[in-house]
Amino acid sequence: MCGIVGGIAERSITNILIEGLKRLEYRGYDSAGLALINGGQVLRERRVGKVANLEEAVNESHIAGSLGIAHTRWATHGKPTENNAHPHISGDVAVVHNGIIENYQELKDDLEALGYVFTSQTDTEVVAHLVNDALKNTPSLLEAVRQVVPQLKGAYALGIVHTDHPNELITVREGSPLVIGVGIGENFISSDQLALLPITNRFIYLEEGDIARLTRTSIEVFVDGNRVERPVKELDAAVSNASKGEYKHYMLKEIYEQPEAIQQTISQALNGNALRDDFLKNAEADFSKIQQVQIIACGTSYHAGMIAKYWFEQLINVSAQVEIASEFRYRSPVIVNNTLYVCISQSGETADTLAALRDTQKRAAAKNLDIATLTICNVATSSMVRETDHSLLTLAGPEIGVASTKAFTTQLAALMLLILKIGQVKNTIAAENIETITAELWHTPKVILDTLQNNEAILRLSELFKEKQHCLFLGRGTQFPIALEGALKLKEISYIHAEGYAAGELKHGPLALVDNDMPVVILAPQDDMLDKLKSNMEEVQARGGELFVFADINSGVNEKDRQHVVKVPSISAVLAPIVYSIPVQLLSYHVAVLRGTDVDQPRNLAKSVTVE
Ligand code: HGA
């Protein structure tokens, strides 16, 4: 998604802006630009493609300035061209924008009637012209922005500067993330604090509807024209720890970080083989009341939610539903009393999930319903954490690769902890079952480490995949969502068309696709469904399909003609989905590397999906 960086300082901030944009590259983007205010002029450079292209242009033009805004664009309105790249300028105003102005066409028609000429196809450009126009009525840039904001429909974060206002940077947060980085004699804005970590660890997290005015030495935040105080929070040093180290890609590093990440996640909740007394203590009253659970999530997080549905019902006898947030938010769902709504999102900013949450809260309030909300995410300071009653952090550390790996497996670990806690509060799980599962959770990092030993074997299998056009992933029970996740990973980073299916569904359609050229990946842990799964494998082989099986060492599934087997260390059936995520991640990773794709920043995708 688009990234914004801006700042006002005593020194030239050109390099800070470029460095900030580079740190936002993980979000995915198609073009980049920056504008600096210097000597009563807007100095602007924009380039299609990587931030490196912009950096080259800036190095050539030597533009400098102590006030400026910069942007990485992920196009929603208008192609990824230089003209559509931000910042957009109208007169002496320059604007960067993250989000969508939904009523831009109407506003554009009005502005054109007033004589404003548009040089891009973006929705963003209307903001620049509107601010320019509002400045006819007021000398104050802040006031002009305040007049424009009520005219904008949609979700947006903005950074705005003006040549005649060299001592201020105006920013707006309305539905898209934005933080202020607090410095000494300098202040900054960004859509992700990660961009500003080299300069500060002190942040103000703006709230929806906030407009802020930054000078070199002050930060004023306004809501409806009134000054409000927003606390400055100091960030944990651990958050700043994001570099590739010895690994070729962030994704590979993050795959290998999973044992530690899971250990971190479970350590916050467990004391030996018991849940800590203080774990989700404040949620106990809510948990005792709830009758059912509704999980809302997108993409990989949705797959984590699907697995949790099996677990909720099988382990603690609590009914659970899971739905894709972009559907849930628009289908007028019936909000049910005594339901726990669980949002799952790596960033805690996923636009659809956040909107579904807000819509649920609104509907519940309108009917006076008693519901509880809980977030599972990786960012303690995120909007979702702030806006739900309870939260559970995945403690995976920053995840930079667009294809989620450690965020997914730590979500699974966190969901299991949540389920055990709810079961304990509601007394629907026996104490010895909690003990058994927690003991297995502690053991999971070691099993993942052993599973990672298969890296070379999986690399060899990837060679057989690299020329393929299509692929099927099959699993049963909690391996069905892993099949979906495996297919998603392969699609995302290798661009091979892949489908995940519940293996029992094979004969209801997808079997028609199977031929000599169709690789079929099978997830075969040691569980009650293994024999049924073996029959599904026979069905594939009988039609000439080539099997790639990730199978428990004791499963009795062995190599044979057109059946490749990677043996996975034993793990309890219940936690097997966590472990079987690893081979599908490695397979996708190696296939993508062999195909020469941009593994960490696959085409057309963004890390944290903060627009619809
Ligand atoms: N709508 C704007 C900004 C897009 C954006 O925020 N993407 O994440 C544009 O298309 O330029």
Side-chain angles (χ1 to χ4, degrees):
M1 295 291 108
C2 293
I4 290 177
V5 188
I8 179 160
E10 299 285 356
R11 50 182 169 156
S12 173
I13 58 168
T14 316
N15 291 339
I16 293 176
L17 295 182
I18 293 280
E19 174 62 22
L21 291 184
K22 283 187 183 164
R23 294 175 72 92
L24 295 180
E25 283 189 301
Y26 77 94
R27 293 162 72 95
Y29 65 100
D30 47 56
S31 48
L34 61 73
L36 293 151
I37 302 294
N38 196 344
Q41 277 183 297
V42 189
L43 308 173
R44 175 174 67 172
E45 290 290 356
R46 300 180 291 176
R47 288 295 181 274
V48 171
K50 297 276 172 191
V51 173
N53 301 348
L54 176 69
E55 186 177 23
E56 211 177 288
V58 166
N59 287 343
E60 268 167 33
S61 62
H62 297 294
I63 57 170
S66 61
L67 168 63
I69 47 180
H71 191 261
T72 47
R73 174 168 189 253
W74 187 81
T76 67
H77 292 62
K79 293 210 165 78
T81 60
E82 201 163 297
N83 273 354
N84 286 337
H86 303 209
H88 289 285
I89 293 181
S90 174
D92 295 324
V93 182
V95 173
V96 286
H97 162 221
N98 184 11
I100 292 171
I101 309 297
E102 287 172 7
N103 58 337
Y104 86 100
Q105 192 58 54
E106 258 165 82
L107 296 167
K108 187 171 177 178
D109 293 345
D110 294 349
L111 286 159
E112 278 176 336
L114 289 173
Y116 286 95
V117 176
F118 281 74
T119 57
S120 78
Q121 290 109 34
T122 65
D123 49 339
T124 306
E125 196 178 343
V126 297
V127 181
H129 293 308
L130 285 171
V131 174
N132 189 11
D133 200 59
L135 281 165
K136 288 183 187 149
N137 311 321
T138 169
S140 156
L141 183 58
L142 177 68
E143 181 50 32
V145 173
R146 279 202 46 227
Q147 288 175 15
V148 168
V149 164
Q151 302 175 51
L152 307 176
K153 287 201 188 126
Y156 48 88
L158 300 167
I160 302 167
V161 291
H162 189 288
T163 53
D164 296 342
H165 297 259
N167 299 318
E168 59 184 336
L169 165 60
I170 308 294
T171 190
V172 181
R173 177 186 177 163
E174 180 66 58
S176 290
L178 201 88
V179 298
I180 297 178
V182 183
I184 298 168
E186 55 186 19
N187 290 308
F188 298 89
I189 58 169
S190 178
S191 33
D192 185 333
Q193 61 202 18
L194 196 64
L196 302 178
L197 288 175
I199 0 175
T200 184
N201 67 341
R202 299 173 68 228
F203 293 95
I204 293 175
Y205 299 96
L206 290 181
E207 295 189 8
E208 302 303 346
D210 284 358
I211 301 183
R213 177 175 177 269
L214 283 66
T215 69
R216 293 175 177 80
T217 52
S218 68
I219 296 163
E220 299 162 297
V221 183
F222 301 88
V223 175
D224 296 330
N226 302 315
R227 260 308 282 279
V228 291
E229 287 307 316
R230 297 274 177 252
V232 177
K233 295 198 177 153
E234 213 154 287
L235 213 66
D236 197 333
V239 181
S240 20
N241 184 18
S243 87
K244 270 189 284 202
E246 72 203 86
Y247 295 96
K248 196 166 161 207
H249 296 99
Y250 281 110
M251 182 177 175
L252 189 61
K253 173 172 178 264
E254 288 157 5
I255 289 174
Y256 274 83
E257 281 172 348
Q258 288 175 106
E260 201 193 329
I262 288 176
Q263 191 148 341
Q264 284 279 112
T265 301
I266 59 178
S267 300
Q268 66 183 322
L270 300 183
N271 189 0
N273 289 342
L275 292 166
R276 282 174 189 266
D277 290 341
D278 58 356
F279 173 58
L280 287 171
K281 180 103 201 123
N282 296 338
E284 285 175 2
D286 282 335
F287 290 169
S288 66
K289 278 190 285 185
I290 59 154
Q291 299 295 324
Q292 56 170 1
V293 174
Q294 173 69 59
I295 300 168
I296 308 166
C298 304
T300 289
S301 301
Y302 171 72
H303 297 150
M306 284 179 79
I307 292 166
K309 175 183 160 65
Y310 286 85
W311 285 345
F312 265 111
E313 304 203 342
Q314 171 197 334
L315 298 175
I316 65 165
N317 198 31
V318 170
S319 160
Q321 305 304 323
V322 53
E323 190 164 340
I324 294 165
S326 56
E327 287 301 314
F328 188 86
R329 66 180 285 199
Y330 287 119
R331 70 169 177 82
S332 305
V334 176
I335 305 303
V336 182
N337 217 20
N338 295 326
T339 302
L340 175 68
Y341 288 85
V342 177
C343 296
I344 313 174
S345 159
Q346 187 282 130
S347 64
E349 304 290 349
T350 311
D352 284 318
T353 312
L354 194 54
L357 166 69
R358 289 173 178 165
D359 181 62
T360 300
Q361 286 166 329
K362 222 189 270 169
R363 285 170 191 274
K367 293 200 170 153
N368 224 353
L369 297 174
D370 192 8
I371 63 159
T373 55
L374 182 142
T375 293
I376 291 183
C377 91
N378 200 28
V379 182
T381 48
S382 64
S383 301
M384 268 177 229
V385 169
R386 280 183 277 129
E387 295 182 30
T388 43
D389 302 322
H390 312 290
S391 57
L392 176 46
L393 290 180
T394 43
L395 304 184
E399 189 181 66
I400 307 293
V402 164
S404 185
T405 52
K406 62 177 179 170
F408 176 64
T409 46
T410 53
Q411 281 169 355
L412 290 177
L415 282 158
M416 180 55 86
L417 296 168
L418 173 68
I419 287 162
L420 296 180
K421 177 73 186 184
I422 294 176
Q424 187 179 58
V425 170
K426 297 182 80 63
N427 212 2
T428 54
I429 183 169
E432 51 285 15
N433 284 355
I434 298 189
E435 228 171 274
T436 313
I437 295 174
T438 51
E440 285 163 356
L441 270 174
W442 282 122
H443 184 51
T444 308
K446 167 77 176 107
V447 183
I448 293 180
L449 270 179
D450 294 344
T451 307
L452 287 165
Q453 299 292 326
N454 285 315
N455 186 39
E456 287 296 319
I458 295 172
L459 172 60
R460 284 193 294 276
L461 289 189
S462 314
E463 289 282 353
L464 304 170
F465 261 79
K466 66 174 194 250
E467 304 296 341
K468 303 287 183 196
Q469 302 295 323
H470 306 278
C471 172
L472 275 179
F473 284 74
L474 301 179
R476 281 179 171 263
T478 52
Q479 295 297 330
F480 163 41
I482 298 300
L484 292 174
E485 175 60 10
L488 178 64
K489 283 289 85 93
L490 193 68
K491 278 186 267 216
E492 280 181 307
I493 59 170
S494 76
Y495 316 148
I496 292 176
H497 168 230
E499 301 269 2
Y501 266 95
E505 275 289 290
L506 196 57
K507 54 190 170 298
H508 298 290
L511 204 49
L513 293 173
V514 173
D515 62 10
N516 283 341
D517 216 21
M518 173 64 93
V520 181
V521 178
I522 304 278
L523 300 159
Q526 187 73 32
D527 62 17
D528 295 349
M529 304 304 284
L530 186 60
D531 287 338
K532 302 240 175 257
L533 189 70
K534 285 180 179 169
S535 306
N536 300 137
M537 288 162 57
E538 295 292 340
E539 288 161 10
V540 172
Q541 282 229 308
R543 273 110 191 141
E546 188 168 17
L547 292 173
F548 295 80
V549 193
F550 298 121
D552 187 286
I553 35 170
N554 301 316
S555 61
V557 177
N558 294 315
E559 291 268 337
K560 58 181 184 184
D561 186 34
R562 293 181 68 75
Q563 175 166 302
H564 314 275
V565 180
V566 171
K567 293 283 169 82
V568 179
S570 285
I571 176 81
S572 71
V574 74
L575 295 180
I578 302 183
V579 171
Y580 281 72
S581 307
I582 311 303
V584 297
Q585 293 167 353
L586 284 173
L587 179 70
S588 306
Y589 172 78
H590 289 305
V591 173
V593 172
L594 291 173
R595 285 168 70 97
T597 60
D598 192 345
V599 173
D600 285 331
Q601 290 165 38
R603 68 184 181 202
N604 306 339
L605 296 182
K607 178 70 187 164
S608 118
V609 188
T610 51
V611 292
E612 257 199 275

